[in-house]
Amino acid sequence: MAKVGFIGLGNMGSGMARNILKAGHDLKVFDLNEKVVKDICAEGATAAKSASDAASNVDAVITMLPAGQHVKSVYLGENGLIAVAKSGTIMMDCSTIDVESARAVVEAATKAGMKMVDAPVSGGVAAASAGSLTFMVGGTDDAFAYAKPYLDSMGANIVHAGKAGSGQAAKICNNMMLGIQMISVSEAFILAEKLGLAADKLFAISSKASGQCWSLTSYCPVPGPVPTSPANKDYKAGFAAAMMLKDLRLAQEAAKSVHAETPLGEMARVMYEEFSSKSDNDMDFSGIINMLREKS
Ligand code: NAD
């Protein structure tokens, strides 16, 4: 079994790290929050003194951090992971970050003799704990082959999306579709209400017709038709509106950098800016239907 360093034991990282432990690896962990480190050490991991200590003398490094600036500050620089890890270490950044930062870090790692992939995930905290995440992976064939066994321990669906940065590109393109679709489904249910068409009837028709999409059939924003959707739990996340906003902002940054025309993606970003500023941190992104209803 391998020696693995894991940095970032938040909502997602703590479940993912536990699955690395369950797979039998020797796990060293670091997080700025001492409590989460203590919890996983009680289950068999070892506490590192710093992020670079977690990456020293290991075969693999996994990071699950909030955003691009955290990833760059941890990997790059004199005491960064790339400077201290042994040559040939496989590095996997699973955070959702901007494509440019992802490419810059992979390039620096490759120059220093490491193998590295960007490997953001789809699936929330429950999938992270269950080991059923989808990983979208960017990097060389060689780096992907080295990363795959570790990702298999944490996920059910591992897709090699292409060269470095392609994992992040896939993640933001997917979530831009998701954000736009959630707004479109919400608008349709509000219009139906106003036209006197019952929500369950619209669901029965559209879930089998050309309007169907995941936001309708798996995550319906009105209570009733999909019992597991957050609409039935007072719109408690689930997938927080703030997370959706983060991904829509990343999509727009990327679109501007390559001059891609994404007017609906930009409109979705503006609407989620407004919705997030008005809602609690644990508000699910499907709750945007209530903001639209209030305005109607
Ligand atoms: P989180 O805020 O719960 O966890 C981040 C962890 O990183 C925290 O424990 C924090 O203390 C730690 N951290 C920050 N800077 C650090 C540093 N310099 N050194 C060591 N530790 C540091 O976030 P999360 O919900 O676990 O999300 C992590 C990433 O996964 C984000 O990029 C997010 O967009 C992405 N993601 C989240 C979800 C979800 O449902 N939560 C789903 C898919 C993807």
Side-chain angles (χ1 to χ4, degrees):
M1 282 294 128
K3 290 183 181 171
V4 181
F6 202 113
I7 299 142
L9 305 162
N11 293 324
M12 297 293 287
S14 56
M16 293 163 66
R18 280 182 172 85
N19 286 321
I20 290 290
L21 205 52
K22 275 187 207 147
H25 297 298
D26 192 355
L27 182 67
K28 247 201 301 184
V29 294
F30 180 72
D31 194 291
L32 298 175
N33 176 351
E34 288 175 14
K35 158 107 180 48
V36 291
V37 173
K38 217 171 148 193
D39 288 349
I40 193 165
C41 287
E43 295 170 35
T46 308
K49 293 184 204 75
S50 61
S52 38
D53 181 26
S56 304
N57 210 15
V58 293
D59 306 300
V61 171
I62 303 169
T63 48
M64 192 54 165
L65 296 162
Q69 75 262 28
H70 307 95
V71 172
K72 281 200 279 191
S73 80
V74 164
Y75 276 93
L76 306 176
E78 232 173 273
N79 289 316
L81 309 187
I82 293 170
V84 300
K86 66 180 185 198
S87 182
T89 301
I90 173 72
M91 300 180 142
M92 294 155 267
D93 178 41
C94 302
S95 329
T96 301
I97 68 171
D98 58 288
V99 176
E100 211 177 306
S101 298
R103 290 199 168 133
V105 175
V106 173
E107 194 185 326
T110 309
K111 264 194 193 143
M114 312 292 160
K115 300 175 196 305
M116 182 164 186
V117 294
D118 52 297
V121 305
S122 176
V125 176
S129 296
S132 58
L133 292 166
T134 291
F135 284 88
M136 299 155 244
V137 189
T140 61
D141 290 346
D142 186 40
F144 178 73
Y146 273 89
K148 180 129 187 327
Y150 300 99
L151 302 178
D152 278 333
S153 306
M154 301 182 286
N157 189 21
I158 323 293
V159 183
H160 189 189
K163 64 181 185 181
S166 302
Q168 300 295 352
K171 170 83 186 173
I172 57 173
C173 289
N174 181 73
N175 281 19
M176 185 174 81
M177 286 188 240
L178 175 64
I180 293 168
Q181 283 167 355
M182 182 52 79
I183 293 169
S184 79
V185 172
S186 298
E187 288 185 1
F189 273 99
I190 290 168
L191 178 59
E193 268 162 43
K194 293 210 170 268
L195 294 174
L197 170 64
D200 60 334
K201 296 294 178 198
L202 177 62
F203 181 86
I205 293 160
S206 289
S207 62
K208 299 278 183 295
S210 47
Q212 67 161 291
C213 60
W214 187 89
S215 293
L216 175 69
T217 55
S218 296
Y219 219 80
C220 189
V222 296
V226 178
T228 50
S229 80
N232 300 284
K233 292 166 226 146
D234 213 14
Y235 297 92
K236 292 271 173 282
F239 184 53
M243 288 280 188
M244 173 50 80
L245 175 58
K246 175 191 167 184
D247 294 351
L248 289 170
R249 283 177 178 159
L250 289 175
Q252 285 311 297
E253 268 174 42
K256 284 196 183 88
S257 74
V258 293
H259 308 290
E261 196 60 24
T262 55
L264 288 180
E266 169 61 3
M267 202 171 282
R269 180 196 66 79
V270 169
M271 291 170 74
Y272 274 100
E273 294 277 1
E274 182 184 351
F275 180 53
S276 292
S277 72
K278 289 177 176 165
S279 30
D280 297 337
N281 287 344
D282 62 347
M283 172 58 72
D284 189 78
F285 84 113
S286 61
I288 199 159
I289 191 170
N290 295 323
M291 181 178 93
L292 294 168
R293 195 181 274 116
E294 274 164 28
K295 290 184 179 202
S296 292

